[in-house]
Amino acid sequence: EGPVASLYALALAVLARAPARIEPRSKAGRGYQLAGVGQPAPVRIRRDVVRSGMTTSEAFRASAVACLDHLYANQPGVLAGGQAEYLHQVRVALRRLRSLLDVFRPPAAKSAVRPHRQALRRITRALGPARDLDVFVAHTLAPMLEQFPGHRGLAAFERAAGRDAFGKRRHHAL
């Protein structure tokens, strides 16, 4: 109850004191995951958000919310080092959001949109090498390992590629 701006102000105050992020899962969803009941899966974007009769502003808002929901829904999987598909879906959400800013940008608002578009581009580019590695391991290294089973160099490369920058085991779609 109350103005939404107050909620955002509170969230920014919390963020100023401690690292925080939006948790897209419900309390029940988090509880089920903690209990080991059901396994979350990468989420794809909703495509049915723009409806006939919407104003331009309503269509933009609905599309932007769908992109952000898509991003936030896959964030826990990326942070947990889960399947490579989580990372792919986050990058799809970021690219869609960038495209949305281009499509709906009025000419007069170009300078207002530019910093946000550039920030989205930087984030997408920062995630690119991790996605490239996942694609390489799944689509290039995996067939090579099948062709040359027991090859020590390829096996060593697979082990090295199986760790992220923090030394955590990565999960590839091998």
Side-chain angles (χ1 to χ4, degrees):
E1 191 174 313
V4 173
S6 299
L7 181 60
Y8 283 104
L10 174 63
L12 290 172
V14 168
L15 186 59
R17 292 183 175 263
R21 62 183 159 83
I22 294 173
E23 172 56 67
R25 297 169 295 187
S26 67
K27 286 186 277 185
R30 289 187 351 245
Y32 285 130
Q33 185 178 355
L34 288 171
V37 179
Q39 200 61 304
V43 176
R44 296 190 182 280
I45 194 162
R46 285 187 49 216
R47 296 177 185 264
D48 60 348
V49 296
V50 177
R51 306 226 185 276
S52 177
M54 283 183 155
T55 66
T56 303
S57 293
E58 291 168 338
F60 172 78
R61 183 180 184 282
S63 298
V65 167
C67 288
L68 291 172
D69 286 347
H70 183 206
L71 174 70
Y72 293 135
N74 288 288
Q75 181 186 27
V78 170
L79 294 174
Q83 303 170 30
E85 186 63 19
Y86 286 110
L87 178 63
H88 174 64
Q89 290 302 320
V90 163
R91 292 186 73 231
V92 168
L94 291 168
R95 283 194 315 269
R96 284 178 179 268
L97 197 50
R98 267 185 33 219
S99 296
L100 186 68
L101 290 175
D102 284 344
V103 169
F104 283 90
R105 178 187 65 213
K110 187 174 185 177
S111 63
V113 170
R114 184 177 296 125
H116 302 293
R117 192 175 188 296
Q118 288 172 341
L120 291 169
R121 182 181 217 155
R122 277 193 311 274
I123 295 167
T124 305
R125 283 187 175 166
L127 297 174
R131 175 65 179 157
D132 292 345
L133 177 62
D134 284 327
V135 170
F136 173 79
V137 169
H139 299 288
T140 303
L141 186 57
M144 290 172 67
L145 287 165
E146 286 178 18
Q147 180 110 22
F148 303 101
H151 189 283
R152 289 188 312 188
L154 288 175
F157 188 78
E158 179 192 27
R159 283 191 303 278
R163 303 271 173 200
D164 67 15
F166 305 103
K168 279 178 59 180
R169 181 84 182 122
R170 294 169 57 94
H171 302 281
H172 300 285
L174 290 178

